[in-house]
Each structure stands twice: as C-alpha cells, then as structure tokens.
C-alpha cells in the first residue's frame, strides 16, 4: 500500500511541477513575443507594403496575435521539456525558479504594464483601431513596456534582491 502511495505522490508532484512550468512558459512566451512582434511587424510592413499599410490597428492586432502565439509556443515548449524529464530534476528546477526573484519581478512588471496599457491604449486611440485590438494589443504592448522597465531597473543599479534556496529541497514523494 505504501509503495502505491509513494508512486502516486511522486506522479502527482511531477504533474504539479509540469503544470507550474507550462504556466510559466506561457507567461514568458507571451512576454517575449509581445516584446518582439511590434518592431518586427513594423519593419516587415514597411519593407513589404510601404508606409501606407502601417496603422495603429494593424500594429495592435499583430501584437496580440504574436502574444497569443507566444502563449501557445511557450506552453508547448515547457510541456515537452518538463513532461519528458526526470521528476527530481524538474522538482529541483521548480524550486530554483520559485526563488528566482528577478524572474518574479519581471513577471510583476509585465503584468502591471499589461493592465495599465489595456486601459490606457483604448483611451488614447479610440477612433483609430477596433476595440478588441485596442484592449488586447494594448495589453501586449504594456507587457513589453513592463518587461523593459524591469530590465531598465536592473541595468540602472536596482536589481531584484536575491533569496537563498533552502539547503535541502523536499523530495517529490513527500
């Protein structure tokens, strides 16, 4: 009976670790592609179609579609990476990630920027774009601005505080 419980507990812990990393991968994918999509789309549209095809609506639409692709890609990458790895290594990686304050601060700045720009962008560009593109594209641009703010704080001498890892990481079967 205890062997079955240990196996079940290990499997459940590994599944929880996989779920954590998939959510984290989706967040990081959204942040990365929300940061990269607007300049890449602007350069593409300018070189391919000229300045006449570049509009606020198209940039905002490209931003939220790029962010959505980042969510899918980041989640799929982390699932493939974590599901087929050793459960102890995944558990150790989860603890290292949970105590990584720089990553947590980047996520916080990105979330704050996304919420602010999801509200500010429709107020500024109400007549220039579709409402769904304004809200979702504004959130994507805000996420990128928040990520830039985090890195700017780090570069200017205000890095996130470091928190030491606990000396012994609990095993997955506890």
């Amino acid at each position: 009976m205890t062997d079955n419980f240990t196996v079940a507990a290990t499997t459940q812990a590994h599944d929880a670790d996989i779920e954590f990393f998939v959510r984290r991968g989706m967040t990081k994918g959204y942040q990365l592609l929300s940061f990269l999509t607007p300049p890449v789309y602007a350069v593409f549209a300018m070189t391919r179609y000229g300045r006449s095809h570049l509009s606020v609506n198209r940039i905002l639409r490209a931003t939220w579609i790029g962010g959505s692709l980042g969510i899918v890609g980041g989640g799929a990458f982390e699932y493939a990476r974590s599901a087929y790895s050793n459960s102890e290594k995944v558990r150790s990686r989860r603890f290292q990630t949970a105590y990584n304050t720089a990553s947590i601060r980047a996520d916080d700045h990105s979330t704050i920027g996304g919420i602010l720009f999801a509200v500010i962008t429709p107020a500024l560009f109400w007549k220039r774009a579709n409402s769904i593109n304004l809200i979702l594209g504004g959130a994507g641009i805000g996420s990128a601005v928040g990520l830039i703010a985090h890195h700017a704080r780090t570069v200017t001498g205000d890095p996130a505080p470091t928190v030491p890892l606990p000396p012994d990481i609990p095993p997955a079967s506890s």
Side-chain angles (χ1 to χ4, degrees):
M1 181 75 177
T2 28
D3 292 334
N4 290 337
F5 177 75
T6 303
V7 169
T10 303
T11 305
Q12 288 174 349
H14 186 60
D15 289 344
D17 293 340
I18 291 170
E19 182 182 338
F20 172 81
F21 278 117
V22 168
R23 281 194 319 257
R24 184 174 181 273
M26 294 168 79
T27 302
K28 296 299 182 182
Y30 178 76
Q31 291 171 0
L32 179 66
L33 285 184
S34 292
F35 176 73
L36 293 177
T37 301
V40 168
Y41 176 77
V43 168
F44 172 77
M46 292 285 285
T47 58
R48 177 92 183 214
Y49 304 112
R51 190 166 184 251
S52 63
H53 284 273
L54 196 62
S55 68
V56 172
N57 189 47
R58 289 180 180 184
I59 290 175
L60 291 173
R61 182 176 52 218
T63 302
W64 77 261
I65 289 174
S68 299
L69 292 175
I71 290 171
V72 172
F77 173 78
E78 276 299 333
Y79 179 78
R81 181 180 181 195
S82 300
Y84 301 109
S85 295
N86 181 3
S87 62
E88 293 303 319
K89 288 184 180 180
V90 173
R91 186 89 173 151
S92 173
R93 207 172 98 221
R94 180 176 180 179
F95 270 86
Q96 291 172 353
T97 303
Y99 283 89
N100 184 355
T101 56
S103 177
I104 293 169
R105 188 171 86 168
D107 291 346
D108 291 347
H109 279 77
S110 181
T111 302
I112 292 166
I115 291 169
L116 285 175
F117 275 70
V119 174
I120 291 172
T121 304
L124 294 176
F125 300 111
W126 186 251
K127 297 286 185 182
R128 298 183 187 265
N130 188 352
S131 60
I132 196 76
N133 294 338
L134 285 168
I135 295 167
L136 296 177
I141 290 176
S143 175
V145 168
L147 201 59
I148 292 169
H150 160 70
H151 290 295
R153 282 184 66 182
T154 303
V155 168
T156 59
D158 185 19
T162 57
V163 177
L165 281 170
D168 54 340
I169 296 173
S173 60
S174 61

